[in-house]
Amino acid sequence: MCGVVGYVGDKKAQDFLISGLKRLEYRGYDSAGIVTLAEDGTPTLLRAQGKIVNLEEKLAKNKRDDKIGIGHTRWATHGEPSENNAHPHRAGDIFVVHNGIIENYKELKEQLKEHEFKSETDSEVLAALINSFYHGGKYNLADAVVQALKLVNGTYGIAVVSTKNPDEMVVARSGSPLVIGVGNDETLIASDASALVGHTKRAIYLNDGEVAVITKDSIEIKTLNAEPVSAKVEEIETNLAAIQKGGYEHFLLKEIMEQPESLTETLRGRVNVENGTVRLGGPGLTEAELRKIKHLIIVGCGTAYHAGMLAGYYIEQFTPEITIETVIASEYRYRSAYIPKDSVALIVSQSGETADTLACLREIKKQGVKTIGIVNAIGSTIAREVDGGTYVHVGPEISVASTKAFTSQVIAMVMFGLTIAQAKGVKSNILRPYVEEIAKMPEEIRKVLSSVGDEVKGVAKKYCEYEHAIYLGRDTAYPTAMEGALKLKEISYVDANAYAFGELKHGPLALVDDRFFEVALIPRGHLYEKSLSNVQEVLARGGHVLAVTNADDIGLSVDSVVKITTSLEIFAPILMNLVSQLFAYYVTVAKGYNVDQPRNLAKSVTVE
Ligand code: F6R
C-alpha cells in the first residue's frame, strides 16, 4: 500500500528519498511526494500525481543539498489521487507523511478549526492535530506527536519533521510497518526494509505503540506512555539482486521463473527424504501438542487464502481425525465462529502485514488458540505476533500478483500437516510419497518452466481477446483453478472466475457462449474421468476449452491443450498453476497492461 521513507544524515536527502520511493513502487501508489529541510529549516516540498517520474521532473528544477527529509507514495483512500492530496502534508511548521487510516478524522477535524485544510485526506488531519500541540512551543515535536497519537483511532506509520528543528525526525507506528535503518552518520526510515537495502544491513523494526526520535547518530525509542524501549538491531537479509529484475522484462516473470530456487529455500533443512520425514523448527509445538491437534483453521486473503485451501485439501488426505477449515480473513474477523478446543490456526501472509489477516490473528489469540505464521516477510507484524511460525523464505516478492509465495505457502503448510501426521503416528508408507514428491518438486518446477513457456505464450495470444474466462477443477485442482482465475483477472482485467467442475450444472454452465473461454485443469488421478465428462458438457455447449493436464492424451477435441510432463502425481496441480501464472502473464503482456503494478491494487494491504 502507501510507502514511507525518511533520511537524516550527511548525504543529500533527496537522493535517498527518491531511490527509496522507487523501491516501494511495487506496493502500489497513485501519487508521490517528498519534503526536505535546509540547515536553516527552509522546506522544499515537491509532490506529484501519478508515477515517481512525474515527481522527478519537478525535482530536476528543485535540487537541494538538504540533509533531512521525508517522502511518501500514496494509494488513495480518503480523497482522489491528486497533488493536493499527496503527502507530505503541512500544518504550521511541521510536515507529516502517513500510512494507514485515521478512523476518527472527521471528529478530530471538527476540533481543528484553526487549520486551513488543503486536502481531503485523513492524514492532513493528523498533521494539523500534531501541530495543534506543537504550535506555540508548549510541547517539543516528539511530545506533540505523542499527544496527538493518543487521540487517534486507526492505524498509522508516520514520519514527522519540523522546520524549527531540521536535525531531527519523529516516527511512530500502530498497525502500519516502520523500519529504522541504522547507518554510519545517517539514519534512514522506511515502511519496508527493501528501501534500505544497499544503504545499511542493520535495522530496528518499530513495534505498535512506539515512537522514535531520530537524528543522524541517535535513535531514542519510547512507548506512547513514555516508557523507554531498548531497541533490538536486526540484520536485513535481503540483497540487491533480490530486488532487481535481473535481466527479466518484468518482476512477475522473474518471480515465476525463480520458483525452483525459492521453493528450495522453503525446503532447506526441513525434508529428510531417506527417512521420509519433515522437520519444522519454527512452530515450536511439542510432539504432545501436535498429537492433540483436532482442528486446523487456516486464515488468509486472496492468494494466501487459496494456498491455505489447497494445503487443507492435501493435509486432510493424510492426517487422521482432524477437521480443516480455510477462511477468508476479512470475513472471519467479523464472524461469531466458535473455535473448538485443540485447534491450531495457521496465519498465512506473504507480506505479514495484511490488515484483515492481522486482525484475525489477534482475535484468535484472544481465544487462547495457538497461532502459527506461514509468512514470507521477515520481521513483519504477523511474523512477530504469532506464537510460532514457519518462514517460507522466498525472498522479496515485488510484483503485485503473488506467484512464488503461493507455491511455497502450500508446501510449507503441507509440511506442517506432515509434522502433525508424524506426531500422530501415521504410517510412513502413507506419508513418504508426499515427502518424496516435495523433495523432487523444485526440479520438476524447473522442468515445467523450461518446457512450456513458448507454448503458453502462443496460447495466451489466442485467448487474449476474450473478456470472460471460467477456470475449472476438481479436488486439489479446484483451489488451483481459483488461484489461476485470480491471477488472470488481477493483472489482465479479464473477468475470470473459478468453479468446481461439479458445480457447473448448478448454474455456471449457463454462461458458456462465444464470449467465454474455459481453462480446465485436468490432473490424472481418481477424478480424471469425471473431469473429462464435465469438459465434454462444456464442449457440447460450444465452449472454448483450454485444457491443462499431465495426461498423455485427454482424447477430447478441445481448442487447446497445454501438457505438462512430470513425475509428480500428488502435486501435479501445483505445476499446473505454473501454467496459469505464465498464461496470466502472457495475456497481460499481449494486452499491453502494466504487469507488475495492476491498476487499483497494492502489494501490501495494510488497511481494511
Ligand atoms: C494476489 C495477491 C493478493 C494477496 C493478498 C494477501 O496475487 O497478491 O491476493 O495474496 O492480498 O496478501 P498477503 O499474503 O501479503 O497477506
Side-chain angles (χ1 to χ4, degrees):
M1 218 131 249
C2 311
V4 163
V5 289
Y7 180 88
V8 48
D10 287 338
K11 299 187 191 133
K12 289 182 195 167
Q14 284 181 336
D15 292 347
F16 171 72
L17 297 179
I18 293 292
S19 71
L21 290 182
K22 283 187 176 165
R23 292 263 181 85
L24 302 182
E25 278 192 295
Y26 77 96
R27 298 169 66 96
Y29 70 104
D30 39 47
S31 53
I34 60 172
V35 67
T36 56
L37 305 177
E39 268 175 41
D40 65 358
T42 305
T44 302
L45 174 66
L46 304 170
R47 300 184 296 178
Q49 191 188 333
K51 294 291 173 196
I52 291 173
V53 286
N54 303 348
L55 185 63
E56 282 180 302
E57 276 171 24
K58 295 194 169 180
L59 182 71
K61 294 177 207 130
N62 292 280
K63 291 258 183 206
R64 300 284 184 271
D65 291 339
D66 305 349
K67 310 271 187 310
I68 183 168
I70 54 180
H72 190 261
T73 44
R74 173 173 185 258
W75 190 83
T77 56
H78 297 63
E80 57 175 13
S82 69
E83 191 174 324
N84 266 354
N85 286 336
H87 302 212
H89 290 292
R90 181 174 195 165
D93 296 316
I94 64 154
F95 289 87
V96 175
V97 291
H98 166 232
N99 277 2
I101 287 187
I102 307 301
E103 286 168 3
N104 56 338
Y105 78 102
K106 279 194 186 141
E107 186 186 315
L108 293 169
K109 198 171 179 177
E110 291 284 296
Q111 296 156 27
L112 294 163
K113 300 271 189 243
E114 278 170 29
H115 179 75
E116 189 192 326
F117 284 91
K118 297 185 183 67
S119 78
E120 301 150 82
T121 65
D122 53 332
S123 306
E124 191 183 356
V125 175
L126 182 57
L129 186 63
I130 296 171
N131 189 49
S132 71
F133 289 104
Y134 183 63
H135 184 72
K138 192 166 161 213
Y139 291 96
N140 67 26
L141 186 61
D143 290 341
V145 168
V146 169
Q147 292 304 320
L149 292 180
K150 283 185 173 171
L151 299 177
V152 153
N153 297 334
T155 54
Y156 53 81
I158 57 166
V160 189
V161 289
S162 160
T163 56
K164 288 207 179 124
N165 196 357
D167 302 317
E168 164 185 294
M169 180 191 314
V170 177
V171 298
R173 79 157 268 178
S174 180
S176 278
L178 225 143
V179 193
I180 303 171
V182 188
N184 294 326
D185 285 329
E186 61 181 3
T187 311
L188 315 94
I189 64 115
S191 50
D192 179 330
S194 64
L196 307 179
V197 175
H199 297 277
T200 177
K201 276 199 153 303
R202 299 191 303 143
I204 298 167
Y205 293 87
L206 219 57
N207 290 307
D208 278 354
E210 291 178 356
V211 180
V213 180
I214 291 170
T215 66
K216 69 174 187 172
D217 47 22
S218 70
I219 299 161
E220 196 190 314
I221 307 179
K222 287 189 179 157
T223 65
L224 284 181
N225 296 326
E227 292 143 4
V229 174
S230 67
K232 189 170 149 221
V233 181
E234 298 179 41
E235 190 171 329
I236 300 174
E237 289 184 10
T238 310
N239 58 35
L240 267 180
I243 53 173
Q244 287 167 347
K245 284 189 192 150
Y248 286 97
E249 206 178 322
H250 299 104
F251 280 110
L252 187 64
L253 187 58
K254 176 188 178 224
E255 287 160 12
I256 293 171
M257 298 309 281
E258 69 193 10
Q259 288 178 90
E261 294 78 33
S262 56
L263 183 61
T264 301
E265 291 308 312
T266 312
L267 304 187
R268 193 175 295 288
R270 292 167 169 171
V271 183
N272 186 330
V273 193
E274 253 171 51
N275 299 341
T277 56
V278 297
R279 198 179 62 84
L280 295 178
L285 296 171
T286 63
E287 292 282 302
E289 284 172 322
L290 287 167
R291 266 197 301 276
K292 271 208 292 194
I293 298 174
K294 290 256 183 324
H295 187 73
L296 266 189
I297 307 165
I298 308 182
V299 184
C301 299
T303 290
Y305 166 69
H306 296 154
M309 194 170 161
L310 179 52
Y313 271 58
Y314 283 121
I315 296 169
E316 65 194 12
Q317 291 173 359
F318 56 73
T319 313
E321 293 162 17
I322 204 169
T323 59
I324 302 172
E325 192 187 3
T326 304
V327 294
I328 297 172
S330 57
E331 284 296 306
Y332 197 69
R333 65 181 288 190
Y334 294 115
R335 276 170 54 188
S336 325
Y338 163 71
I339 308 183
K341 277 208 183 106
D342 304 327
S343 295
V344 163
L346 296 184
I347 312 295
V348 195
S349 177
Q350 187 284 126
S351 63
E353 301 293 348
T354 301
D356 286 316
T357 311
L358 180 59
C360 282
L361 160 63
R362 289 175 179 164
E363 267 313 304
I364 291 170
K365 272 182 91 168
K366 264 194 227 154
Q367 299 197 33
V369 171
K370 270 248 154 87
T371 54
I372 308 292
I374 305 293
V375 173
N376 185 38
I378 294 173
S380 57
T381 310
I382 291 176
R384 283 182 295 137
E385 291 197 14
V386 285
D387 298 307
T390 294
Y391 279 119
V392 292
H393 290 304
V394 300
E397 204 182 51
I398 306 284
S399 194
V400 164
S402 186
T403 51
K404 59 180 178 172
F406 172 83
T407 306
S408 285
Q409 284 163 345
V410 176
I411 296 305
M413 282 184 269
V414 171
M415 286 198 289
F416 180 68
L418 287 167
T419 61
I420 299 175
Q422 286 166 191
K424 284 178 181 278
V426 177
K427 295 228 166 58
S428 74
N429 64 327
I430 295 178
L431 303 184
R432 186 175 280 279
Y434 289 87
V435 178
E436 284 178 356
E437 286 211 3
I438 287 174
K440 280 201 282 187
M441 198 178 293
E443 194 44 41
E444 294 297 306
I445 289 177
R446 192 187 316 279
K447 280 196 226 154
V448 171
L449 288 175
S450 62
S451 63
V452 297
D454 287 343
E455 193 183 348
V456 176
K457 193 174 177 177
V459 169
K461 282 215 177 96
K462 190 164 153 186
Y463 289 97
C464 70
E465 297 300 329
Y466 283 88
E467 282 181 20
H468 307 277
I470 295 177
Y471 280 65
L472 296 158
R474 272 180 185 271
D475 192 51
T476 48
Y478 171 49
T480 313
M482 292 168 79
E483 175 56 12
L486 174 61
K487 221 68 336 169
L488 185 68
K489 83 178 91 169
E490 72 179 315
I491 59 174
S492 75
Y493 318 143
V494 172
D495 162 40
N497 287 296
Y499 303 99
F501 263 128
E503 276 290 290
L504 268 180
K505 287 197 266 302
H506 302 285
L509 201 53
L511 291 170
V512 173
D513 67 19
D514 286 341
R515 297 169 306 147
F516 282 75
F517 71 97
E518 298 78 25
V519 181
L521 304 184
I522 317 173
R524 281 191 302 239
H526 67 297
L527 296 172
Y528 175 66
E529 300 292 344
K530 284 195 195 300
S531 301
L532 289 186
S533 306
N534 294 131
V535 173
Q536 262 170 331
E537 287 158 7
V538 175
L539 291 174
R541 282 146 189 94
H544 304 276
V545 176
L546 159 61
V548 182
T549 184
N550 56 342
D552 283 336
D553 179 6
I554 59 167
L556 295 176
S557 45
V558 293
D559 269 20
S560 317
V561 181
V562 174
K563 181 175 174 281
I564 55 165
T565 307
T566 175
S567 62
L568 301 191
E569 291 293 337
I570 301 169
F571 293 111
I574 293 187
L575 304 183
M576 293 177 179
N577 190 53
L578 305 175
V579 175
S580 296
Q581 292 173 348
L582 286 170
F583 181 71
Y585 172 74
Y586 285 119
V587 168
T588 308
V589 170
K591 282 171 166 278
Y593 294 144
N594 187 336
V595 172
D596 287 328
Q597 289 164 26
R599 68 187 182 201
N600 306 339
L601 296 182
K603 182 67 183 164
S604 180
V605 185
T606 51
V607 292
E608 206 180 328

